[in-house]
Amino acid sequence: PEAEWFEEYHDYDAIVGWYSKLANDYPNLVTFYKSIGESLEGRDMPAVHIGTNSKYTVYFQCQIHAREWISGAVCMYIANRLCESYGKIEQVTNLLNAVEFVFVPLVNPDGYEYTWNGDRLWRKNRRVNPGSSCDGVDLNRNYDDHWGGEGSSSNPCSETYHGTSAASEPETQYTQNYFKAQKSIVAAIDWHSFSQLILRPYGWTKADCPDEQRLSDVGQKMSDAAKAIHGKEYDSIKSIDLYATTGSASDWFYSDNANEDHDFRAAGYTIELRDTGRYGFLLPPEEIIPCGEEMFPAVLYLAESIELKESFTERLG
Ligand code: 0X9
Ligand code: ZN
């Protein structure tokens, strides 16, 4: 892309166009799928695959929360770095020959558009809730895992409104279905901001998940890899130690519901990007590149740790 691309944020149309161009620029490495389904207001939700027909998949989804603009920007940064490095940097070349990256860059297109043309601090999707004057469902409380419990709200006016049923929203349904259609997803990240955190399961209970040791080790290594770049601390903690959530995407990624056809569960993480509160959701665009730079080695570490997948607890074991 042009050098200036990562010096600004971009709206929905520009981001879709950018991924489409990435696929044209790297035809042997990138496949652009126009849509995994349409949002409530009829916008396409694209998917982008980066890799060379590999056995394992790493799944990323971005921009589930509309106002968290750094999420979509860092996903583009990572996608671009992977492409630029293939055939030039041995570590990335080997990785992309072993692992396919699947991006769903715009999980909440309507909400994202609204942050550009309505309310910059909008979070939810744009569902018109019957019988309420408040719009929107929090997609990160709408996934089909312990839906409707603690840390979500039945009030349509709440920022954490969980919707009328598990996966009531098309954006949730399409991302769940697309995730389930991929082969051997070994790790998945739901990208958010802000607070600089690497969050592992569970959000819904204080209990350790069966892969606690492994997921906390990998989380800490991702944190170390990030810190080595610009010195920023990303705490690696269990989701519930931030606060309880139910129906969240990353708990769903790790759940039986998401992994029915896989031998192993996907290591489901939520990453909260920069900053720690000075600018919060209004992170200046000058921080896109440094934030991407510190996440790139963390993501490589996560994808490479897949070789140790045998140490994961067997899903039905
Ligand atoms: O509350 C959320 O959905 C996430 N924080 S944010 O400020 N980006 O809205 C945190 C979710 C973490 N919990 C789980 N993933 N379970
Ligand atoms: Zn968020």
Short mmCIF file of all heavy atoms in Angstrom, two decimals, residues 65 68 123 192-193, ligand 2:
data_model
loop_
_atom_site.label_atom_id
_atom_site.label_comp_id
_atom_site.label_asym_id
_atom_site.label_seq_id
_atom_site.Cartn_x
_atom_site.Cartn_y
_atom_site.Cartn_z
N HIS A 65 -16.39 -4.16 18.05
CA HIS A 65 -16.85 -2.93 18.72
C HIS A 65 -16.51 -1.74 17.83
O HIS A 65 -15.34 -1.51 17.49
CB HIS A 65 -16.21 -2.79 20.10
CG HIS A 65 -16.82 -3.71 21.11
ND1 HIS A 65 -16.13 -4.23 22.17
CD2 HIS A 65 -18.10 -4.18 21.20
CE1 HIS A 65 -16.95 -4.99 22.89
NE2 HIS A 65 -18.15 -4.98 22.33
N GLU A 68 -13.68 1.06 18.43
CA GLU A 68 -12.31 0.63 18.72
C GLU A 68 -11.51 0.58 17.43
O GLU A 68 -11.13 -0.48 16.93
CB GLU A 68 -12.36 -0.70 19.48
CG GLU A 68 -13.11 -0.54 20.80
CD GLU A 68 -13.48 -1.84 21.51
OE1 GLU A 68 -12.97 -2.91 21.11
OE2 GLU A 68 -14.27 -1.77 22.48
N ARG A 123 -20.64 1.72 20.15
CA ARG A 123 -20.01 0.42 20.42
C ARG A 123 -20.72 -0.76 19.74
O ARG A 123 -20.08 -1.65 19.17
CB ARG A 123 -20.02 0.20 21.94
CG ARG A 123 -19.72 -1.23 22.42
CD ARG A 123 -19.87 -1.30 23.93
NE ARG A 123 -19.84 -2.62 24.50
CZ ARG A 123 -18.77 -3.18 25.07
NH1 ARG A 123 -17.62 -2.53 25.09
NH2 ARG A 123 -18.85 -4.38 25.61
N HIS A 192 -9.64 -5.95 20.20
CA HIS A 192 -10.36 -4.83 20.83
C HIS A 192 -9.38 -3.74 21.25
O HIS A 192 -8.17 -3.88 21.15
CB HIS A 192 -11.06 -5.32 22.11
CG HIS A 192 -12.22 -6.22 21.90
ND1 HIS A 192 -13.52 -5.80 22.08
CD2 HIS A 192 -12.29 -7.52 21.53
CE1 HIS A 192 -14.34 -6.81 21.84
NE2 HIS A 192 -13.62 -7.87 21.50
N SER A 193 -9.95 -2.66 21.80
CA SER A 193 -9.17 -1.70 22.56
C SER A 193 -10.08 -1.17 23.66
O SER A 193 -11.30 -1.31 23.56
CB SER A 193 -8.69 -0.54 21.67
OG SER A 193 -9.77 0.31 21.32
ZN ZN B 2 -14.16 -4.03 22.64
#
